[in-house]
Short mmCIF file of all heavy atoms in Angstrom, two decimals:
data_model
loop_
_atom_site.label_atom_id
_atom_site.label_comp_id
_atom_site.label_asym_id
_atom_site.label_seq_id
_atom_site.Cartn_x
_atom_site.Cartn_y
_atom_site.Cartn_z
N TYR A 1 101.78 109.72 103.37
CA TYR A 1 102.40 110.91 102.81
C TYR A 1 103.66 110.53 102.04
O TYR A 1 104.34 109.54 102.36
CB TYR A 1 102.78 111.90 103.93
CG TYR A 1 101.60 112.43 104.70
CD1 TYR A 1 101.09 111.73 105.79
CD2 TYR A 1 100.98 113.62 104.32
CE1 TYR A 1 99.99 112.20 106.50
CE2 TYR A 1 99.88 114.10 105.02
CZ TYR A 1 99.39 113.39 106.10
OH TYR A 1 98.29 113.86 106.80
N VAL A 2 103.96 111.34 101.02
CA VAL A 2 105.11 111.08 100.16
C VAL A 2 106.03 112.29 100.13
O VAL A 2 105.55 113.44 100.11
CB VAL A 2 104.66 110.74 98.72
CG1 VAL A 2 105.83 110.79 97.75
CG2 VAL A 2 104.00 109.37 98.66
N ALA A 3 107.33 112.02 100.12
CA ALA A 3 108.33 113.07 99.87
C ALA A 3 109.16 112.63 98.67
O ALA A 3 109.50 111.44 98.55
CB ALA A 3 109.23 113.25 101.08
N THR A 4 109.45 113.54 97.76
CA THR A 4 110.34 113.24 96.64
C THR A 4 111.45 114.28 96.59
O THR A 4 111.23 115.47 96.87
CB THR A 4 109.59 113.25 95.29
OG1 THR A 4 108.84 114.47 95.17
CG2 THR A 4 108.63 112.08 95.19
N GLU A 5 112.64 113.83 96.25
CA GLU A 5 113.79 114.72 96.23
C GLU A 5 113.61 115.87 95.25
O GLU A 5 114.05 116.99 95.52
CB GLU A 5 115.06 113.92 95.89
CG GLU A 5 115.47 112.93 96.97
CD GLU A 5 116.69 112.12 96.58
OE1 GLU A 5 117.35 112.48 95.57
OE2 GLU A 5 116.98 111.12 97.27
N ASP A 6 112.95 115.59 94.11
CA ASP A 6 112.78 116.65 93.10
C ASP A 6 111.45 117.38 93.22
O ASP A 6 111.16 118.28 92.43
CB ASP A 6 112.94 116.07 91.69
CG ASP A 6 111.87 115.04 91.35
OD1 ASP A 6 110.98 114.78 92.20
OD2 ASP A 6 111.92 114.49 90.23
N GLY A 7 110.63 117.02 94.21
CA GLY A 7 109.36 117.71 94.42
C GLY A 7 108.28 117.36 93.43
O GLY A 7 107.23 118.02 93.39
N SER A 8 108.47 116.32 92.63
CA SER A 8 107.48 115.96 91.60
C SER A 8 106.20 115.39 92.20
O SER A 8 105.13 115.48 91.58
CB SER A 8 108.09 114.96 90.61
OG SER A 8 108.62 113.84 91.29
N VAL A 9 106.28 114.80 93.39
CA VAL A 9 105.10 114.28 94.09
C VAL A 9 105.24 114.60 95.57
O VAL A 9 106.32 114.48 96.14
CB VAL A 9 104.95 112.75 93.91
CG1 VAL A 9 103.70 112.25 94.63
CG2 VAL A 9 104.91 112.36 92.44
N GLY A 10 104.15 115.03 96.18
CA GLY A 10 104.18 115.27 97.62
C GLY A 10 105.10 116.41 98.02
O GLY A 10 105.26 117.40 97.29
N THR A 11 105.74 116.24 99.16
CA THR A 11 106.64 117.26 99.69
C THR A 11 107.97 117.22 98.97
O THR A 11 108.53 116.13 98.73
CB THR A 11 106.88 117.02 101.20
OG1 THR A 11 105.64 117.13 101.89
CG2 THR A 11 107.87 118.04 101.77
N LYS A 12 108.51 118.36 98.60
CA LYS A 12 109.84 118.41 98.02
C LYS A 12 110.87 118.30 99.12
O LYS A 12 110.85 119.07 100.09
CB LYS A 12 110.06 119.71 97.24
CG LYS A 12 111.43 119.76 96.57
CD LYS A 12 111.63 121.00 95.73
CE LYS A 12 112.99 120.98 95.04
NZ LYS A 12 113.22 122.15 94.17
N GLY A 13 111.75 117.31 99.00
CA GLY A 13 112.77 117.11 100.02
C GLY A 13 112.77 115.67 100.52
O GLY A 13 112.48 114.74 99.77
N ASN A 14 113.04 115.52 101.81
CA ASN A 14 113.11 114.18 102.39
C ASN A 14 111.95 113.92 103.34
O ASN A 14 111.05 114.76 103.49
CB ASN A 14 114.46 113.99 103.10
CG ASN A 14 114.70 115.05 104.16
OD1 ASN A 14 113.79 115.44 104.89
ND2 ASN A 14 115.93 115.53 104.26
N VAL A 15 111.97 112.77 103.98
CA VAL A 15 110.85 112.40 104.85
C VAL A 15 110.70 113.35 106.04
O VAL A 15 109.58 113.64 106.47
CB VAL A 15 110.99 110.95 105.35
CG1 VAL A 15 110.79 109.97 104.21
CG2 VAL A 15 112.34 110.71 106.03
N MET A 16 111.81 113.88 106.54
CA MET A 16 111.71 114.83 107.65
C MET A 16 111.04 116.11 107.20
O MET A 16 110.28 116.73 107.96
CB MET A 16 113.11 115.13 108.22
CG MET A 16 113.76 113.96 108.95
SD MET A 16 112.72 113.25 110.27
CE MET A 16 112.37 114.70 111.26
N ASP A 17 111.27 116.53 105.95
CA ASP A 17 110.58 117.70 105.42
C ASP A 17 109.08 117.45 105.35
O ASP A 17 108.27 118.35 105.65
CB ASP A 17 111.11 118.03 104.02
CG ASP A 17 112.56 118.47 104.03
OD1 ASP A 17 112.94 119.23 104.93
OD2 ASP A 17 113.32 118.05 103.13
N ALA A 18 108.68 116.23 104.96
CA ALA A 18 107.25 115.89 104.88
C ALA A 18 106.61 115.87 106.27
O ALA A 18 105.47 116.30 106.44
CB ALA A 18 107.08 114.53 104.20
N ILE A 19 107.35 115.39 107.26
CA ILE A 19 106.85 115.36 108.63
C ILE A 19 106.60 116.77 109.14
O ILE A 19 105.55 117.08 109.72
CB ILE A 19 107.83 114.60 109.55
CG1 ILE A 19 107.83 113.11 109.19
CG2 ILE A 19 107.47 114.80 111.03
CD1 ILE A 19 108.95 112.32 109.83
N ARG A 20 107.56 117.66 108.87
CA ARG A 20 107.41 119.05 109.33
C ARG A 20 106.30 119.77 108.55
O ARG A 20 105.48 120.48 109.14
CB ARG A 20 108.75 119.78 109.18
CG ARG A 20 109.78 119.39 110.24
CD ARG A 20 111.00 120.29 110.16
NE ARG A 20 111.83 119.95 109.00
CZ ARG A 20 112.88 119.13 109.05
NH1 ARG A 20 113.21 118.55 110.19
NH2 ARG A 20 113.59 118.88 107.97
N GLU A 21 106.28 119.60 107.23
CA GLU A 21 105.30 120.30 106.40
C GLU A 21 103.87 119.92 106.78
O GLU A 21 102.97 120.76 106.78
CB GLU A 21 105.54 119.98 104.92
CG GLU A 21 104.57 120.67 103.98
CD GLU A 21 104.87 120.37 102.53
OE1 GLU A 21 105.87 120.93 102.01
OE2 GLU A 21 104.14 119.58 101.91
N ASN A 22 103.65 118.65 107.09
CA ASN A 22 102.30 118.16 107.41
C ASN A 22 102.03 118.11 108.91
O ASN A 22 100.98 117.63 109.32
CB ASN A 22 102.10 116.78 106.79
CG ASN A 22 102.12 116.82 105.27
OD1 ASN A 22 101.18 117.27 104.65
ND2 ASN A 22 103.23 116.37 104.68
N GLN A 23 102.99 118.62 109.69
CA GLN A 23 102.86 118.69 111.15
C GLN A 23 102.43 117.34 111.74
O GLN A 23 101.49 117.25 112.52
CB GLN A 23 101.87 119.80 111.54
CG GLN A 23 102.31 121.18 111.07
CD GLN A 23 101.32 122.28 111.45
OE1 GLN A 23 100.11 122.07 111.45
NE2 GLN A 23 101.85 123.45 111.80
N LEU A 24 103.15 116.31 111.34
CA LEU A 24 102.82 114.96 111.78
C LEU A 24 103.43 114.68 113.14
O LEU A 24 104.55 115.10 113.44
CB LEU A 24 103.33 113.94 110.75
CG LEU A 24 102.83 114.13 109.31
CD1 LEU A 24 103.45 113.07 108.40
CD2 LEU A 24 101.31 114.06 109.26
N GLU A 25 102.69 113.94 113.94
CA GLU A 25 103.16 113.57 115.27
C GLU A 25 102.84 112.10 115.54
O GLU A 25 101.92 111.53 114.93
CB GLU A 25 102.49 114.44 116.34
CG GLU A 25 102.85 115.92 116.23
CD GLU A 25 102.17 116.75 117.32
OE1 GLU A 25 101.24 116.23 117.97
OE2 GLU A 25 102.58 117.91 117.51
N ALA A 26 103.61 111.51 116.45
CA ALA A 26 103.37 110.11 116.80
C ALA A 26 104.00 109.82 118.16
O ALA A 26 104.83 110.59 118.66
CB ALA A 26 103.94 109.18 115.74
N ASP A 27 103.60 108.69 118.74
CA ASP A 27 104.15 108.27 120.03
C ASP A 27 105.30 107.29 119.87
O ASP A 27 106.09 107.10 120.79
CB ASP A 27 103.05 107.59 120.86
CG ASP A 27 101.82 108.46 121.02
OD1 ASP A 27 101.98 109.63 121.42
OD2 ASP A 27 100.70 107.99 120.73
N ILE A 28 105.37 106.65 118.71
CA ILE A 28 106.42 105.66 118.45
C ILE A 28 106.74 105.69 116.95
O ILE A 28 105.85 105.94 116.13
CB ILE A 28 105.98 104.25 118.90
CG1 ILE A 28 107.13 103.25 118.78
CG2 ILE A 28 104.73 103.77 118.15
CD1 ILE A 28 106.85 101.92 119.46
N ILE A 29 108.00 105.48 116.62
CA ILE A 29 108.46 105.55 115.23
C ILE A 29 109.11 104.23 114.83
O ILE A 29 109.87 103.64 115.61
CB ILE A 29 109.46 106.70 115.05
CG1 ILE A 29 108.77 108.06 115.20
CG2 ILE A 29 110.14 106.63 113.68
CD1 ILE A 29 109.73 109.24 115.20
N TYR A 30 108.81 103.81 113.60
CA TYR A 30 109.51 102.68 112.97
C TYR A 30 110.08 103.20 111.66
O TYR A 30 109.36 103.83 110.88
CB TYR A 30 108.55 101.53 112.68
CG TYR A 30 107.90 100.91 113.90
CD1 TYR A 30 106.65 101.33 114.34
CD2 TYR A 30 108.53 99.88 114.60
CE1 TYR A 30 106.04 100.75 115.44
CE2 TYR A 30 107.93 99.28 115.69
CZ TYR A 30 106.69 99.72 116.11
OH TYR A 30 106.10 99.14 117.20
N ALA A 31 111.35 102.91 111.39
CA ALA A 31 111.97 103.47 110.19
C ALA A 31 112.95 102.51 109.54
O ALA A 31 113.61 101.72 110.22
CB ALA A 31 112.68 104.78 110.53
N CYS A 32 113.04 102.60 108.22
CA CYS A 32 114.02 101.83 107.45
C CYS A 32 114.44 102.65 106.25
O CYS A 32 113.60 103.21 105.56
CB CYS A 32 113.44 100.49 107.01
SG CYS A 32 114.61 99.45 106.10
N GLY A 33 115.74 102.72 106.00
CA GLY A 33 116.21 103.48 104.86
C GLY A 33 117.70 103.75 104.95
O GLY A 33 118.40 103.16 105.79
N PRO A 34 118.21 104.65 104.12
CA PRO A 34 119.65 104.94 104.12
C PRO A 34 120.09 105.59 105.43
O PRO A 34 119.30 106.22 106.15
CB PRO A 34 119.81 105.89 102.94
CG PRO A 34 118.45 106.45 102.70
CD PRO A 34 117.48 105.39 103.08
N THR A 35 121.37 105.43 105.73
CA THR A 35 121.91 105.89 107.02
C THR A 35 121.66 107.37 107.31
O THR A 35 121.26 107.72 108.42
CB THR A 35 123.41 105.57 107.08
OG1 THR A 35 123.59 104.15 106.99
CG2 THR A 35 124.02 106.06 108.39
N PRO A 36 121.87 108.30 106.36
CA PRO A 36 121.61 109.71 106.68
C PRO A 36 120.17 109.95 107.11
O PRO A 36 119.91 110.76 108.01
CB PRO A 36 121.93 110.43 105.36
CG PRO A 36 122.89 109.53 104.67
CD PRO A 36 122.45 108.15 105.01
N MET A 37 119.21 109.25 106.48
CA MET A 37 117.81 109.38 106.86
C MET A 37 117.59 108.88 108.28
O MET A 37 116.94 109.55 109.11
CB MET A 37 116.93 108.60 105.88
CG MET A 37 115.43 108.75 106.14
SD MET A 37 114.43 107.52 105.25
CE MET A 37 114.24 106.28 106.53
N LEU A 38 118.14 107.71 108.59
CA LEU A 38 117.96 107.13 109.92
C LEU A 38 118.63 107.99 111.00
O LEU A 38 118.13 108.10 112.11
CB LEU A 38 118.52 105.71 109.96
CG LEU A 38 117.82 104.68 109.06
CD1 LEU A 38 118.46 103.32 109.23
CD2 LEU A 38 116.32 104.60 109.37
N ARG A 39 119.74 108.59 110.64
CA ARG A 39 120.44 109.47 111.59
C ARG A 39 119.56 110.67 111.93
O ARG A 39 119.43 111.05 113.10
CB ARG A 39 121.77 109.92 110.98
CG ARG A 39 122.66 110.68 111.96
CD ARG A 39 123.98 111.04 111.31
NE ARG A 39 124.75 109.86 110.98
CZ ARG A 39 125.22 109.58 109.77
NH1 ARG A 39 124.97 110.41 108.75
NH2 ARG A 39 125.93 108.50 109.55
N ALA A 40 118.92 111.25 110.92
CA ALA A 40 118.05 112.41 111.15
C ALA A 40 116.81 112.02 111.96
O ALA A 40 116.38 112.76 112.85
CB ALA A 40 117.64 113.02 109.80
N ILE A 41 116.25 110.86 111.65
CA ILE A 41 115.06 110.40 112.38
C ILE A 41 115.40 110.11 113.83
O ILE A 41 114.64 110.45 114.74
CB ILE A 41 114.48 109.15 111.68
CG1 ILE A 41 113.90 109.53 110.33
CG2 ILE A 41 113.40 108.50 112.56
CD1 ILE A 41 113.54 108.34 109.46
N SER A 42 116.54 109.47 114.06
CA SER A 42 116.96 109.16 115.43
C SER A 42 117.15 110.43 116.26
O SER A 42 116.76 110.49 117.42
CB SER A 42 118.25 108.34 115.42
OG SER A 42 118.05 107.09 114.80
#
């Protein structure tokens, strides 16, 4: 799945918006990216 800030591809917004929009679930998470993104994921 893809998220783009301007909504040109996939979900408009960030990765957390894509997770919520597509109702994604998992048992374990691996993440890499800018600090605000990692803070939200954590």
Side-chain angles (χ1 to χ4, degrees):
Y1 297 86
V2 167
T4 51
E5 292 178 12
D6 63 1
S8 53
V9 181
T11 299
K12 182 176 182 178
N14 56 40
V15 291
M16 291 306 305
D17 294 319
I19 290 169
R20 285 188 286 265
E21 180 178 286
N22 295 285
Q23 299 180 324
L24 304 178
E25 296 180 346
D27 306 308
I28 186 169
I29 292 173
Y30 297 94
C32 182
T35 299
M37 184 194 96
L38 295 181
R39 188 178 295 125
I41 292 169
S42 296

